[in-house]
Amino acid sequence: MIPLMVAFPLLFAFVIVILDTLRVKKGLIKAAFILGAVLPTGVLPLGNGTEVVGGWSRVAGIEVGIGEINAPFIAGELILFTVVALCSISYFNFRDKKTAKALVLFLLMHAGLLGAFLARDFFNFYIYMEIASVSAFALVAFSEEPGSKRAAFKYLILSLFASYLFIFAIGLIYMETGYLNVELVAENALPSRELKVALGIAFASLLLKAGIFPLHGWLPDAHSVALTPASALLSGIVVKAPAYGMILLFSALPVGESLKTGAMVVAASSIFFGIAMALLQKDAKRLLAYHTVSQMGYVLLGIATFNFTGAAYYAMGHSLFKGGLFLSVGSLGKKSRKLGKFGYRNAPLMAFSVLMLSLAIGGISPLIGSYAKGLIHSGLPDGWRWVVPAGTVGTLVSFTKLNYHLSRGETGGIGLMWKLSSLALALTTLFAGLYLGAGLKPADVIYISAAVLTFFALRALGVFEREVRREAKDVGRDVNMLAAVFVTFMLAVLLLQRL
């Protein structure tokens, strides 16, 4: 039953290719796309536990499963993809010959992400993560935004570089333990130099693919220039697959204290670097993209402290509020993404949705961000707990800036589906928070007040007038520089494990 979650999107991607080749009416293509998007959701309540595809033994077979850790990842993916799929039907022009190809890429991404989250062995996790990644490169390149081809090329080269090193690390794990199944690897992995090398290489590779500082160089360009539905999926879900891979790694291999501490330092650095860069952006989608760099830091904090449940719920929450924010901002700013050039002053429903999603990403109760941040905070050592409230205020300052500009501008006509999609994701962050038990927290009043005061103080000082230059003139040189940073970082991780 569980493999059907992956089979449905693959099947309907193939069906769309056939229908497009036969030049059938667009209604059938839309129907096939929606079926491929929503049918996996019906499998989730029916599938629980683990199973090996084809009835083989766990040693040689492909084990998949749904459990406490990966269920939040899967739920976040299914909710966001369903909403994005419904938006995509009205977003794409079916008279354009590229529409059917874009829908196929969306379904391949859907299958790849679900396969990665269901995987219980390293090799199949890698295969499915690559299916999702390749679809993501292509969807970034589909955009007509200036710089989209450059961003897709940079994303492609760096991600493939990380993929080759990740599969090399998997080979080392197999050589040392004799298994690829995560649970069998955990039972047979003994501390050794080879496994430390494999862990260091694989961890650094997944950090790059997750867009975590200082290996985030490809992310702001790719996420900000992609088609709006693709941006929502890239920031909301695609970067979560490498994070789930880190959980598989840390749960299977011996992880030393030096690596745990190093990972926490990287996580905290990513949180505050992302906030600082977001504050300096004048492009709304680029501001949101830098917040993905920041928010993935919280997920890494959970992984580094072996608080996998906290990491999983934060990943799910981020899928909902970041996906909703990209859909909302993308629909409001169709003609311009520059802050101050558009807004929600004449669109009260969108204003309500964006404000609620902004509070959710800020971790304000009783929204799901508050519940997830509470889980992350509870798993931190005493000396590290300041990171969460400080990050909360920083995030709220940034989203005060976003809402300040949106509240002063107006937008053109927005389709009903886009309004309902933003509202649905905003309400989901509320109901999910209430369902999980995120009660009201009086301290949130202090966080919001501090953020608003800080925003106006920074504005008075002219901080928001500054902008960081974003693109190198030579994309080849840019890729080389980012690859050098990646290799240097990976060597640092390997040296760290010798301490």
Side-chain angles (χ1 to χ4, degrees), residues 398-481:
S398 181
F399 280 90
T400 302
K401 174 186 172 181
L402 176 68
N403 282 281
Y404 172 80
H405 288 291
L406 293 180
S407 66
R408 297 164 71 89
E410 295 188 349
T411 183
I414 300 177
L416 180 63
M417 183 58 72
W418 289 88
K419 293 179 183 176
L420 294 178
S421 298
S422 299
L423 181 64
L425 287 171
L427 292 177
T428 303
T429 62
L430 173 62
F431 293 140
L434 292 172
Y435 175 77
L436 292 169
L440 288 171
K441 296 177 181 175
D444 289 341
V445 177
I446 299 174
Y447 293 145
I448 294 173
S449 302
V452 172
L453 290 173
T454 305
F455 165 73
F456 282 106
L458 293 175
R459 184 168 175 270
L461 292 171
V463 172
F464 301 133
E465 299 300 321
R466 302 177 182 180
E467 185 175 21
V468 177
R469 294 283 179 186
R470 65 185 193 186
E471 288 184 355
K473 292 181 180 178
D474 185 339
V475 67
R477 186 180 299 173
D478 201 12
V479 168
N480 287 342
M481 186 184 71

Side-chain angles (χ1 to χ4, degrees), residues 80 231-240 315 318-320 322-323 326:
L80 180 59
S231 291
L233 292 175
L234 287 169
S235 263
I237 293 293
V238 173
V239 293
K240 305 303 185 328
H318 185 256
S319 300
L320 301 175
K322 181 50 72 65
F326 262 110

Side-chain angles (χ1 to χ4, degrees), residues 479-490:
V479 168
N480 287 342
M481 186 184 71
L482 294 173
V485 172
F486 172 49
V487 171
T488 304
F489 181 86
M490 186 174 59

Side-chain angles (χ1 to χ4, degrees), residues 377-392:
H377 186 264
S378 66
L380 292 174
D382 288 340
W384 286 83
R385 293 193 170 181
W386 62 271
V387 172
V388 173
T392 294

Side-chain angles (χ1 to χ4, degrees), residues 290-307:
Y290 270 109
H291 267 291
T292 299
V293 178
S294 175
Q295 297 287 308
M296 287 305 293
Y298 290 104
V299 179
L300 181 58
L301 264 185
I303 296 169
T305 52
F306 278 53
N307 180 7

Side-chain angles (χ1 to χ4, degrees), residues 146-464:
S148 61
K149 305 300 182 287
R150 174 196 294 268
F153 177 76
K154 192 192 301 184
Y155 183 15
L156 169 71
I157 298 298
L158 291 167
S159 185
L160 285 181
F161 188 21
S163 296
Y164 295 148
L165 288 168
F166 183 73
I167 194 67
F168 172 71
I170 291 175
L172 286 178
I173 293 170
Y174 182 69
M175 184 180 72
E176 280 298 294
T177 65
Y179 299 102
L180 291 170
N181 183 288
V182 174
E183 195 170 325
L184 295 176
V185 169
E187 292 172 0
N188 292 276
L190 298 174
S192 69
R193 185 173 56 184
E194 289 78 9
L195 283 183
K196 285 183 178 180
V197 170
L199 178 60
I201 293 173
F203 180 59
S205 301
L206 293 176
L207 283 180
L208 186 148
K209 291 173 87 68
I212 292 174
F213 174 82
L215 307 178
H216 65 284
W218 59 271
L219 187 148
D221 290 345
H223 287 201
S224 61
V225 301
L227 307 169
T228 293
S231 291
L233 292 175
L234 287 169
S235 263
I237 293 293
V238 173
V239 293
K240 305 303 185 328
Y244 180 65
M246 291 180 216
I247 291 178
L248 296 181
L249 277 177
F250 276 38
S251 60
L253 299 178
V255 181
E257 289 300 320
S258 58
L259 184 58
K260 289 181 189 175
T261 305
M264 290 173 68
V265 171
V266 171
S269 303
S270 196
I271 290 171
F272 296 110
F273 173 82
I275 290 171
M277 291 300 293
L279 286 172
L280 297 174
Q281 301 306 312
K282 295 182 179 177
D283 179 308
K285 286 182 73 174
R286 201 167 175 83
L287 181 152
L288 295 178
Y290 270 109
H291 267 291
T292 299
V293 178
S294 175
Q295 297 287 308
M296 287 305 293
Y298 290 104
V299 179
L300 181 58
L301 264 185
I303 296 169
T305 52
F306 278 53
N307 180 7
F308 299 145
T309 302
Y313 277 98
Y314 203 90
M316 181 179 77
H318 185 256
S319 300
L320 301 175
F321 44 68
K322 181 50 72 65
L325 284 164
F326 262 110
L327 289 179
S328 303
V329 170
S331 60
L332 288 167
K334 289 179 181 175
K335 295 182 179 178
S336 172
R337 299 186 330 220
K338 190 172 182 180
L339 290 172
K341 299 291 185 184
F342 67 99
Y344 52 49
R345 194 167 62 180
N346 60 336
L349 198 61
M350 294 300 291
F352 173 78
S353 301
V354 173
L355 282 170
M356 187 175 285
L357 291 164
S358 299
L359 293 174
I361 197 172
I364 299 302
S365 61
L367 301 158
I368 191 171
S370 171
Y371 173 78
K373 276 189 178 175
L375 285 181
I376 297 292
H377 186 264
S378 66
L380 292 174
D382 288 340
W384 286 83
R385 293 193 170 181
W386 62 271
V387 172
V388 173
T392 294
V393 174
T395 302
L396 288 171
V397 173
S398 181
F399 280 90
T400 302
K401 174 186 172 181
L402 176 68
N403 282 281
Y404 172 80
H405 288 291
L406 293 180
S407 66
R408 297 164 71 89
E410 295 188 349
T411 183
I414 300 177
L416 180 63
M417 183 58 72
W418 289 88
K419 293 179 183 176
L420 294 178
S421 298
S422 299
L423 181 64
L425 287 171
L427 292 177
T428 303
T429 62
L430 173 62
F431 293 140
L434 292 172
Y435 175 77
L436 292 169
L440 288 171
K441 296 177 181 175
D444 289 341
V445 177
I446 299 174
Y447 293 145
I448 294 173
S449 302
V452 172
L453 290 173
T454 305
F455 165 73
F456 282 106
L458 293 175
R459 184 168 175 270
L461 292 171
V463 172
F464 301 133

